[in-house]
Amino acid sequence: MNDNAPRFGMVAGEASGDLLAGLLLAGLRARWPELTAQGIGGPRMVAQGFEPWWPLDKLSVFGYVDALWNLRELLSIRKQLGDRLLNLPLRQRPSAFIGIDAPDFNFGLEQRLREGGIKTVHFVCPSIWAWRAERVEKIKRSADHVLCLFPFEPELLKQHGIAASYVGHPLADAIPLEPPKAAARGALGLAEQDVVVALLPGSRRSEIGYIAEPLLKAAVLMQQARPDLRFVMPMAPGLRGLIAPMVKAHAPNLNLMLLDGRSHEALAACDVSLVASGTATLEAALFKRPMVIAYRMHALNWWRMKGRNYQPWVGLPNVLAREFLVPELIQDACTPQALAREGLAWLDDHARYARAQARFEEQHQMLRCNTALRASDAIAQVIGV
């Protein structure tokens, strides 16, 4: 082991963070082949040589209610991780700690580590422009540098004295500009002439409990209107035992293929997607697939959130487009009937479908800027290497 190789503490809190962190680690390792990285993460990080002290599913909670139920364990893990990093011998301490999203967990940890002399980088600017402006002061206390996915974010942070860099989105580099539709359909056993709808209910157990049922019921309605439709539903690792009984209960006769993982193949293969709000909406846009964005949550979470939005859009493709490019059906509007109606509408309006694909192409080009290289350049400046 090269003692001069950088060491990184890292925390990713859910599947989307694991995906981002895995792509980031690949770029960091290209620059520093002998780096070490430890903390909380998932399989994509492990594939890049990451050492998980806790699995990321320990942090995969959904909203305020889930966080309250798990608060004692979350605080305990955060304290233990901070203790472990700060109590390492000086030569073994991290060159920097990189928090991947999960701001409610990471900001408190980052602040403690920063006060203890460890440089901190936060990857993914919280959507202060959309929901949580009060987080600005937390970011300022916690992060030496913020890596931003979207080009308008660094200037917003600069106004508050926070150092930041626009690095683009690693998914825009990883996903080809021309989606491999034929190859994906071949891999999934789908025919060229099939009309395929992808159902993506989220990656966390708690959100699936709210979102999978209306998506499945919407698919049943769509199949009643169009018996030729085929459906695919990719599932995050370990969730088949949760989702399969829901399929049996709500859509037993649906022409549905359940997939363990393989979300990118599902999006490449499909014509339209019904997708839970979050990173998956951006993935659908990068695959140039028109979508209907769905989201439901606990009533208390919704009550807390609904008065805090500063702009009319929730889904990332709409935020980037600055218009309702794709429908958003949130909370009470997220009904099977509305989801089915909007999903079928994409299949019947070819001009609208083509316009959406053209805008998705523009977004892909904007976000595709070698994120791994830009991020490693920014991190190198932070740690002085």
Side-chain angles (χ1 to χ4, degrees):
M1 176 65 64
N2 181 357
D3 287 341
N4 295 319
R7 299 172 181 272
F8 296 107
M10 299 182 76
V11 167
E14 57 187 11
S16 61
D18 181 45
L19 174 61
L20 292 174
L23 294 168
L24 174 62
L25 273 170
L28 295 175
R29 195 166 293 283
R31 188 183 195 109
W32 297 298
E34 297 184 64
L35 70 81
T36 58
Q38 302 159 318
I40 301 175
R44 293 178 183 270
M45 297 167 71
V46 171
Q48 296 297 329
F50 179 80
E51 179 186 348
W53 291 344
W54 287 270
L56 67 81
D57 59 12
K58 288 291 186 182
L59 307 190
S60 296
V61 298
F62 175 50
Y64 300 98
V65 175
D66 280 352
L68 287 172
W69 278 112
N70 294 277
L71 184 60
R72 179 175 294 181
E73 183 180 21
L74 291 170
L75 292 176
S76 175
I77 291 173
R78 187 165 71 177
K79 182 180 186 306
Q80 291 177 65
L81 178 56
D83 289 344
R84 189 165 179 178
L85 292 172
L86 289 168
N87 291 332
L88 286 169
L90 193 58
R91 290 182 61 124
Q92 296 178 24
R93 289 178 105 192
S95 310
F97 174 83
I98 306 172
I100 313 294
D101 208 2
D104 291 318
F105 183 93
N106 275 327
F107 283 155
L109 177 60
E110 288 168 16
Q111 181 176 348
R112 182 184 174 199
L113 296 176
R114 192 181 187 195
E115 291 170 351
I118 295 174
K119 296 287 188 180
T120 58
V121 175
H122 195 79
F123 185 28
V124 181
C125 175
S127 50
I128 56 174
W129 35 266
W131 295 96
R132 300 283 295 275
E134 72 273 15
R135 279 184 171 162
V136 170
E137 290 305 315
K138 291 184 179 180
I139 301 170
K140 193 170 184 177
R141 292 192 299 267
S142 304
D144 287 295
H145 204 90
V146 179
L147 304 178
C148 298
L149 301 180
F150 304 119
F152 54 85
E153 293 173 327
E155 183 59 34
L156 291 176
L157 294 175
K158 183 180 178 182
Q159 294 172 12
H160 298 277
I162 300 168
S165 300
Y166 169 56
V167 299
H169 204 297
L171 285 171
D173 295 317
I175 294 171
L177 288 171
E178 182 64 35
K181 186 174 185 177
R185 289 195 168 199
L188 296 176
L190 297 166
E192 180 182 351
Q193 68 273 17
D194 286 336
V195 182
V196 181
V197 180
L199 308 176
L200 291 91
S203 60
R204 292 174 289 194
R205 287 180 173 272
S206 48
E207 70 180 345
I208 287 169
Y210 290 103
I211 299 169
E213 179 181 338
L215 259 60
L216 288 167
K217 289 181 175 179
V220 171
L221 295 173
M222 293 176 73
Q223 186 171 270
Q224 290 172 357
R226 294 273 301 264
D228 62 316
L229 292 180
R230 300 285 304 273
F231 295 86
V232 293
M233 179 182 279
M235 302 172 294
L239 293 182
R240 180 175 283 270
L242 174 65
I243 291 177
M246 299 180 74
V247 174
K248 185 176 180 180
H250 302 298
N253 299 315
L254 186 66
N255 192 354
L256 173 67
M257 184 188 309
L258 288 178
L259 304 172
D260 293 303
R262 307 178 75 176
S263 61
H264 283 190
E265 283 180 297
L267 286 169
C270 77
D271 296 289
V272 169
S273 61
L274 308 183
V275 54
S277 180
T279 301
T281 64
L282 182 62
E283 292 176 283
L286 294 173
F287 277 101
K288 322 301 184 298
R289 297 298 178 253
M291 73 199 79
V292 182
I293 296 174
Y295 216 65
R296 295 181 69 185
M297 62 187 73
H298 190 283
L300 178 59
N301 290 334
W302 176 244
W303 178 78
R304 289 179 62 91
M305 292 289 287
K306 66 180 181 178
R308 298 186 174 196
N309 55 314
Y310 303 123
Q311 55 186 11
W313 315 286
V314 172
L316 288 170
N318 289 340
V319 171
L320 292 172
R322 313 303 292 172
E323 64 169 302
F324 282 106
L325 182 61
V326 302
E328 296 180 357
L329 299 175
I330 310 299
Q331 203 62 8
D332 293 341
C334 185
T335 66
Q337 293 77 14
L339 289 164
R341 181 182 65 249
E342 296 291 354
L344 291 169
W346 280 118
L347 300 174
D348 296 329
D349 190 337
H350 300 296
R352 178 178 174 232
Y353 192 104
R355 177 179 179 271
Q357 288 189 310
R359 295 299 302 276
F360 294 154
E361 174 76 19
E362 294 171 4
Q363 293 177 4
H364 200 157
Q365 294 283 4
M366 176 183 68
L367 298 175
R368 189 181 179 90
C369 55
N370 199 338
T371 296
L373 178 61
R374 286 195 179 196
S376 66
D377 284 345
I379 292 168
Q381 291 185 27
V382 171
I383 65 177
V385 175

